[in-house]
Amino acid sequence: MPDSPHIVEFMGLRESETKAAVSRGSDAATVTWADTILISIWAGLIAGIIQVLWVETIYRHMHAFLGLGRERFWAIPLGSTVVALAAGLLLIGAASATQRRVTLRLLLGLNISLAALGALLLLGGFAHIATLLLAIGIGLRASPRASRHPAGVRRLVRRSLIPITVFVAVVGGGIRVARALQEQRALAALPVARPDSPNVILLILDTVRADELSAYGYARSTSPALTRLAARGIRFEWAISPASWTLPSHATMLTGRWPHEHRASWKRALGPEFPTLAEVLADHGYATAGFVANPVIATESGIARGFAHFEDEEISVEDVLRNNSLFKLPIGNVRLRRLLDWYGIPGRIDADEINAKVLHWMDRHPARPFFTLINYLDAHAPYVPPVPFDTMFGPVVARQDPLLDPSTRWSDQGVRAERDSYDRSIAYLDNRLGALMDSLDHRGLLRNTLVIITADHGEEFREHGSVSHGNNLYLPTVHVPLIMSMPGRVPAGGLVSRPVSLRDLPATILDLLAIPGAHSLPGHGLEATWRSSAGSVASDTVLSEVTPYRASAEALLGNGDQMRALTGAELRYVVNGDGREELYEYPGDSLEQRDLTQAAAQQVELEQFRRTVRAVHPKSVRP
């Protein structure tokens, strides 16, 4: 390998090599290892900045959401630089091994292709091979012009590399400072809260279906802590999520709006049209904080609106790479993950980390009531619980990967293995939930706190053909736990057996807090369900909706056929995007295997369901 003087030569102290390269013609301008390092770093930073600008264009003008956090402004350029530098070193290493020269044209072509590939992958909607070929084509087309003046390229890199690096570093540091100042201003602007206003904790167990919990009668002891918490409050036997995946469900739980109203979807963030629970509570003097592990509800998803303090990512090497679209190719490759026997998620925040963040904030939060949103991701695929939970509930067998390979033809053994790992993950999550509640109790915070524990959706294990969620609205994906406790307002040991919707959580919280103008958010307070002797008061609509994912402009605009389901007292009605109807009895057929749409005895109820869905959304059911 050449020694360090090559860097000195490149940075302009001697230009004999550059002039010699120019005399041989721009296409033949050979680059050294020092050239490769510096040009790759420069090109990676430029590509990252372009990606950031592209992301902001998508966010601001196309109203789309890519699942990237606030650290993207520096994390994307840094990740792009790592990728570009690694590619450049591999290129010059391969050339050295084959005794070939690397030309400036080839190096710039590689970096332009990588930059184009990163930008194209952000949009999605194209096959990876097609995207790769298009990026290579852009690199081949642009590199001859870019390498026409080697001396000019070197001069540009020499003069701009340090300023660009400083710019990215300043932006990264400035974002963190701005965030702290923004939180201080938000807290300072809060009005005075009413004396003795209760605190509120809304805790979301991401991807936890109710019938997999021992608190709901499951045979395995997956949720002893949740069982203890249920004894201190009300357990809702049939809580139904408004959607079968994360973003629209969270958006509904914070706005009281149905998914077709707020329109937060696969690539569309929650817009500012509707007020959120956090905004309403902040208007009444509450300190608001969100701690989320799922990147789908990161800051730019719109879920953070109204929260003075919001933590959605870790600052780590894994998180830097996660923010880079190029890194998603290898980590999303099913064969590579199986070869490495690795099924994790880079930058994943576990429940212990969330607990530490929550307790740290609560120990230093202002002396005023608080509203805290907590999202745990540990039961979400891929299921990788830590020791000792990784060996619970049967032997560990060869794994598949439902998160990245949903089209797998699952064997019975494969489904059992995934379900075992899912149960282990729930057991770990329940253990950490119990630890958090114990810590809060020790601090005396639960004496005047409304605690609501639920899930955003469930998970399917081939009951209707897949191992995942977000594909349909059958009970395994929308039947979720819901437990409330609040000393003096929520009776201990209660059970509500009628179906309820998570859409009513904002109205319920405002009612229980006796917030003036509580009905500023739509929905119906659930307090009446346990105050009624039989828990059988007049039911609000219990609606669920999901739009099948389409990696196209249709999904980007939030359009496409939407599947809807209604949950009644004894029947569930499902209408697919093509108008096909299904009707199931529950709890007798809770896995929904026997369609009753042709049963004569159910025609009156079927027509009632049709009218209800048409009233909610006229285009849902064909006349």
Side-chain angles (χ1 to χ4, degrees):
M1 178 176 288
D3 55 18
S4 58
H6 281 84
I7 298 180
V8 177
E9 292 174 356
F10 178 85
M11 295 306 289
L13 297 183
R14 291 210 307 266
E15 299 202 6
S16 57
E17 183 180 335
T18 298
K19 292 178 181 178
V22 172
S23 68
R24 293 194 299 270
S26 61
D27 285 354
T30 303
V31 295
T32 65
W33 68 274
D35 294 342
T36 302
I37 291 174
L38 295 174
I39 291 177
S40 295
I41 292 173
W42 178 85
L45 289 170
I46 294 295
I49 292 172
I50 292 172
Q51 280 193 43
V52 169
L53 295 175
W54 183 218
V55 167
E56 294 311 296
T57 299
I58 294 173
Y59 278 177
R60 309 301 175 190
H61 301 292
M62 302 175 72
H63 305 291
F65 174 59
L66 304 174
L68 301 176
R70 285 177 292 188
E71 305 296 338
R72 64 184 180 276
F73 294 98
W74 65 268
I76 290 177
L78 181 56
S80 295
T81 301
V82 171
V83 172
L85 183 58
L89 292 176
L90 285 174
L91 176 65
I92 204 164
S96 176
T98 57
Q99 297 184 345
R100 295 177 180 273
R101 295 185 304 171
V102 176
T103 64
L104 181 63
R105 175 175 175 175
L106 180 59
L107 180 61
L108 290 178
L110 173 65
N111 282 292
I112 293 171
S113 296
L114 288 173
L117 181 60
L120 291 170
L121 287 173
L122 287 173
L123 265 186
F126 304 98
H128 285 164
I129 293 297
T131 304
L132 179 61
L133 292 176
L134 179 57
I136 292 174
I138 293 173
L140 290 175
R141 186 73 176 174
S143 59
R145 183 181 297 273
S147 60
R148 189 171 297 171
H149 303 288
V153 170
R154 288 172 166 83
R155 193 179 307 114
L156 175 63
V157 173
R158 181 179 70 242
R159 293 177 177 176
S160 62
L161 180 58
I162 293 177
I164 291 173
T165 303
V166 171
F167 171 76
V168 172
V170 168
V171 168
I175 288 172
R176 302 189 68 79
V177 172
R179 186 184 309 170
L181 293 175
Q182 182 181 18
E183 180 177 349
Q184 291 178 7
R185 287 195 299 268
L187 292 174
L190 292 176
V192 176
R194 290 184 306 156
D196 299 322
S197 293
N199 305 309
V200 182
I201 296 175
L202 176 57
L203 199 152
I204 313 297
L205 309 174
D206 206 300
T207 322
V208 172
R209 55 189 274 181
D211 64 354
E212 214 85 359
L213 299 169
S214 51
Y216 278 75
Y218 190 49
R220 287 174 168 173
S221 181
T222 54
S223 59
L226 200 59
T227 300
R228 294 192 298 271
L229 291 169
R232 297 165 58 172
I234 292 285
R235 180 172 68 87
F236 292 81
E237 189 172 10
W238 291 101
I240 302 298
S241 173
S244 58
W245 72 281
T246 298
L247 180 54
S249 180
H250 278 78
T252 294
M253 284 189 279
L254 291 176
T255 64
R257 298 286 178 174
W258 297 118
H260 72 266
E261 293 178 310
H262 60 62
R263 298 185 67 200
S265 190
W266 295 103
K267 290 187 177 181
R268 185 182 179 91
L270 173 64
E273 300 88 351
F274 304 111
T276 68
L277 178 62
E279 289 175 314
V280 172
L281 292 179
D283 288 342
H284 289 85
Y286 275 71
T288 54
F291 304 89
V292 302
N294 193 330
V296 169
I297 50 173
T299 303
E300 296 300 334
S301 70
I303 296 300
R305 187 154 46 87
F307 289 99
H309 182 90
F310 198 82
E311 295 192 40
D312 55 1
E313 57 190 322
E314 287 289 323
I315 307 303
S316 64
V317 173
E318 286 185 336
D319 196 62
V320 169
L321 295 175
R322 180 186 67 81
N323 274 280
N324 188 275
S325 57
L326 291 174
F327 188 67
K328 293 180 180 180
L329 283 178
I331 68 171
N333 186 281
V334 177
R335 292 184 178 87
L336 180 60
R337 288 166 70 87
R338 287 176 179 167
L339 177 66
L340 299 176
D341 193 27
W342 179 79
Y343 298 99
I345 300 176
R348 186 169 188 162
I349 305 173
D350 65 26
D352 276 322
E353 294 172 289
I354 291 290
N355 287 353
K357 293 170 183 287
V358 170
L359 295 173
H360 176 71
W361 180 82
M362 289 186 176
D363 286 342
R364 64 180 182 84
H365 92 281
R368 58 171 61 245
F370 61 78
F371 167 50
T372 303
L373 171 70
I374 302 171
N375 166 272
Y376 286 139
L377 190 63
D378 305 82
H380 192 292
Y383 320 117
V384 284
V387 176
F389 299 91
D390 59 334
T391 57
M392 294 177 67
F393 310 133
V396 179
V397 299
R399 295 287 309 284
Q400 289 175 296
D401 198 342
L403 181 65
L404 298 170
D405 196 10
S407 61
T408 297
R409 292 187 177 182
W410 293 89
S411 65
D412 291 342
Q413 182 188 33
V415 172
R416 283 195 300 271
E418 288 304 311
R419 197 160 191 167
D420 288 345
S421 294
Y422 178 66
D423 289 349
R424 295 174 185 124
S425 299
I426 292 176
Y428 164 71
L429 185 55
D430 177 80
N431 180 272
R432 296 297 84 204
L433 167 64
L436 176 64
M437 292 298 115
D438 289 344
S439 296
L440 296 176
D441 203 9
H442 179 72
R443 287 166 168 80
L445 291 174
L446 296 185
R447 289 195 293 269
N448 189 35
T449 298
L450 168 61
V451 177
I452 299 178
I453 300 172
T454 186
D456 54 347
H457 56 80
E459 190 80 311
E460 186 178 358
F461 288 95
R462 213 180 59 180
E463 290 89 349
H464 293 86
S466 66
V467 178
S468 189
H469 55 266
N471 304 311
N472 59 54
L473 296 173
Y474 301 111
L475 277 175
T477 65
V478 295
H479 180 207
V480 296
L482 177 59
I483 292 171
M484 294 184 190
S485 69
M486 183 181 180
R489 290 300 302 270
V490 178
L495 175 67
V496 173
S497 57
R498 54 153 285 199
V500 299
S501 174
L502 299 188
R503 179 247 188 168
D504 291 326
L505 289 183
T508 301
I509 292 170
L510 296 182
D511 280 349
L512 289 173
L513 300 184
I515 294 290
H519 296 290
S520 57
L521 298 178
H524 298 79
L526 296 177
E527 187 175 5
T529 62
W530 67 76
R531 293 203 176 278
S532 170
S533 60
S536 57
V537 296
S539 174
D540 186 20
T541 301
V542 181
L543 174 70
S544 303
E545 302 177 290
V546 67
T547 300
Y549 176 76
R550 297 168 184 231
S552 65
E554 251 192 333
L556 194 61
L557 297 173
N559 299 325
D561 294 331
Q562 202 166 41
M563 186 179 185
R564 290 182 172 86
L566 285 174
T567 302
E570 297 178 344
L571 296 170
R572 295 196 73 247
Y573 170 75
V574 178
V575 57
N576 294 271
D578 60 1
R580 182 173 57 87
E581 298 172 304
E582 302 171 60
L583 188 67
Y584 300 100
E585 183 182 16
Y586 82 100
D589 182 23
S590 59
L591 297 183
E592 294 164 318
Q593 303 296 308
R594 299 184 299 274
D595 187 354
L596 302 177
T597 52
Q598 302 303 316
Q602 309 298 341
Q603 294 309 301
V604 173
E605 290 87 348
L606 186 60
E607 184 55 37
Q608 289 176 341
F609 279 125
R610 289 169 180 158
R611 286 198 297 266
T612 302
V613 174
R614 288 194 191 105
V616 174
H617 202 283
K619 296 181 180 179
S620 297
V621 183
R622 295 175 182 174

